[in-house]
Amino acid sequence: MKATQKDFKSIAPRAAREAGVFFFCGPDEAGATDAAHQIVSLLADPGERIELSGSDLKRDPVRLGDEARSISLFGDKRHIWVRAAGDEVHDAVETLLGGAGAACPVVIVASSATDKSRTAKLLAARGDALVAMFWPPDLKSVAGAVRGMADAAGVTLSGDLAERIARAALLDTRLAASEVTKLALYLDAGPQAPRTARAEDLDAIGAPCEDDGFMPLVNAVLSGETGKLRGELRRMHEQGINPVGLLLAFERRAAQLAQLAARLGPHGKVREFIEAESNARRVFWKDQRDLIQQLATWRGKRLARLVDRLIDLHRQLLANSQNAELLLAHGLAEIARFAAPRG
């Protein structure tokens, strides 16, 4: 079976009852991960969680079926959680489906994969599997989700504060949820004791604003501003910015550019399009200049190459965490030089 971003919540309960393999993909990794957690929460008895990586399963496709059909030491229930990139798990899933005997649920979050990938096509027509693809949300929808989280936690947020949290979280609902939790604790708020949050409260818990942290470096690199690069890389080192966290910010911006490019089309006018998106509050007005420059640079095959390079960098960082900062600095310098205007 197949679910869209809009109908996933309505399909999820039936899928949790009837399906055994769940494949969550698309450029919105946060949305895909949230959906995977929701499926696990709906399983009758999820039991122990066994984590596997896509790269491990690519090297050993038989392992997934073995793990899914093995019995824990005490005969307890279990489910398997796989984090993969692209079509790494295709052969492993194919082997799993071809095996005999009952298997425990397998939940796969595949960044950079789409519902047109080989793995998705393998599963989409089956009644015992679910494929769901997630696109990055816009500012307005994430701000609405933030207000919903806050209401559930007993915190009343204005629209401006909800947007501030959404921007600070780079439209990642997982990060936004963390900020809402901290805010509720700071205010001693709860469903039975609601509190109204102010800007000063958000400042007090240390929520970063949209001009801090990752985005100056993200924009310098993707806009090809090589003159700013050395200073930004120095700041990355001096502030101890987490390389993987920073790379995720690049991946989210690349996903946003892919979504914008798809709506713009091959012959659209970039400036007019981004201005219209800003007026509709689908992009933050402060991002206009950067998005105009980046969308003009990263489209079509160039954007596809950027996504592939970021995926490769992600794998390198995870495989060599001791040298992650150096590897990332070299990779970002390469991308910035590629994006720099040709004089």
Side-chain angles (χ1 to χ4, degrees), residues 23-101:
F23 187 75
F24 300 100
C25 58
D28 181 19
E29 186 181 359
T33 302
D34 286 346
H37 282 297
Q38 184 174 348
I39 283 292
V40 172
S41 73
L42 291 170
L43 295 174
D45 184 4
E48 179 187 8
R49 172 165 154 173
I50 307 298
E51 296 192 11
L52 300 174
S53 71
S55 57
D56 288 342
L57 295 178
K58 185 175 183 180
R59 288 191 296 268
D60 183 8
V62 176
R63 184 178 175 187
L64 181 60
D66 289 345
E67 289 284 357
R69 292 188 171 88
S70 67
I71 300 174
S72 69
L73 182 61
F74 300 104
D76 297 329
K77 295 285 188 178
R78 51 164 45 185
H79 69 278
I80 295 176
W81 183 285
V82 181
R83 186 166 293 279
D87 260 330
E88 286 179 326
V89 298
H90 174 270
D91 292 350
V93 171
E94 190 172 46
T95 302
L96 167 68
L97 296 175

Side-chain angles (χ1 to χ4, degrees), residues 254-327:
Q256 182 184 20
L257 291 172
Q259 186 183 35
L260 291 170
R263 293 209 301 271
L264 172 64
H267 306 298
K269 295 182 179 179
V270 173
R271 181 176 296 277
E272 289 86 343
F273 172 70
I274 293 297
E275 288 175 351
E277 291 290 290
S278 177
N279 291 336
R281 297 182 69 176
R282 285 189 289 268
V283 301
F284 183 41
W285 64 269
K286 284 188 178 181
D287 292 336
Q288 276 192 65
R289 184 187 72 87
D290 297 308
L291 287 174
I292 288 170
Q293 190 166 350
Q294 291 162 22
L295 191 57
T297 300
W298 302 104
R299 296 168 70 181
K301 292 182 178 179
R302 287 171 68 97
L303 181 56
R305 289 178 63 184
L306 171 65
V307 171
D308 289 343
R309 184 69 182 101
L310 292 175
I311 292 171
D312 183 56
L313 263 177
H314 202 139
R315 288 172 177 159
Q316 290 180 41
L317 265 57
L318 294 177
N320 191 352
S321 57
Q322 290 184 331
N323 296 313
E325 184 178 307
L326 181 61
L327 288 169

Side-chain angles (χ1 to χ4, degrees), residues 50-341:
I50 307 298
E51 296 192 11
L52 300 174
S53 71
S55 57
D56 288 342
L57 295 178
K58 185 175 183 180
R59 288 191 296 268
D60 183 8
V62 176
R63 184 178 175 187
L64 181 60
D66 289 345
E67 289 284 357
R69 292 188 171 88
S70 67
I71 300 174
S72 69
L73 182 61
F74 300 104
D76 297 329
K77 295 285 188 178
R78 51 164 45 185
H79 69 278
I80 295 176
W81 183 285
V82 181
R83 186 166 293 279
D87 260 330
E88 286 179 326
V89 298
H90 174 270
D91 292 350
V93 171
E94 190 172 46
T95 302
L96 167 68
L97 296 175
C104 72
V106 175
V107 179
I108 303 165
V109 178
S111 61
S112 77
T114 72
D115 57 358
K116 301 297 189 295
S117 65
R118 293 169 64 221
T119 311
K121 290 179 178 178
L122 181 66
L123 297 170
R126 299 178 62 101
D128 59 354
L130 173 70
V131 173
M133 182 168 170
F134 294 83
W135 292 95
D138 56 30
L139 177 61
K140 185 176 180 180
S141 64
V142 176
V146 169
R147 294 189 80 174
M149 297 174 197
D151 288 342
V155 177
T156 301
L157 285 178
S158 68
D160 288 343
L161 282 185
E163 285 196 3
R164 178 179 163 187
I165 292 174
R167 291 195 303 270
L170 303 176
L171 304 187
D172 188 323
T173 53
R174 294 166 298 182
L175 298 178
S178 175
E179 293 302 321
V180 169
T181 300
K182 287 193 292 183
L183 193 56
L185 289 171
Y186 176 77
L187 294 171
D188 194 23
Q192 307 306 319
R195 301 283 187 273
T196 298
R198 302 167 301 170
E200 304 92 273
D201 300 320
L202 205 53
D203 292 335
I205 66 168
C209 77
E210 65 274 9
D211 295 323
D212 293 333
F214 301 148
M215 293 315 294
L217 180 49
V218 171
N219 287 325
V221 170
L222 296 184
S223 298
E225 297 175 330
T226 53
K228 295 182 180 179
L229 186 60
R230 179 175 295 183
E232 284 299 323
L233 290 176
R234 185 186 306 115
R235 183 176 67 84
M236 177 182 77
H237 175 71
E238 291 173 350
Q239 294 185 2
I241 293 176
N242 180 274
V244 175
L246 175 59
L247 188 57
L248 286 173
F250 275 92
E251 291 173 3
R252 284 190 288 270
R253 174 52 62 88
Q256 182 184 20
L257 291 172
Q259 186 183 35
L260 291 170
R263 293 209 301 271
L264 172 64
H267 306 298
K269 295 182 179 179
V270 173
R271 181 176 296 277
E272 289 86 343
F273 172 70
I274 293 297
E275 288 175 351
E277 291 290 290
S278 177
N279 291 336
R281 297 182 69 176
R282 285 189 289 268
V283 301
F284 183 41
W285 64 269
K286 284 188 178 181
D287 292 336
Q288 276 192 65
R289 184 187 72 87
D290 297 308
L291 287 174
I292 288 170
Q293 190 166 350
Q294 291 162 22
L295 191 57
T297 300
W298 302 104
R299 296 168 70 181
K301 292 182 178 179
R302 287 171 68 97
L303 181 56
R305 289 178 63 184
L306 171 65
V307 171
D308 289 343
R309 184 69 182 101
L310 292 175
I311 292 171
D312 183 56
L313 263 177
H314 202 139
R315 288 172 177 159
Q316 290 180 41
L317 265 57
L318 294 177
N320 191 352
S321 57
Q322 290 184 331
N323 296 313
E325 184 178 307
L326 181 61
L327 288 169
L328 182 59
H330 282 303
L332 296 183
E334 179 186 59
I335 293 170
R337 287 194 295 269
F338 186 80

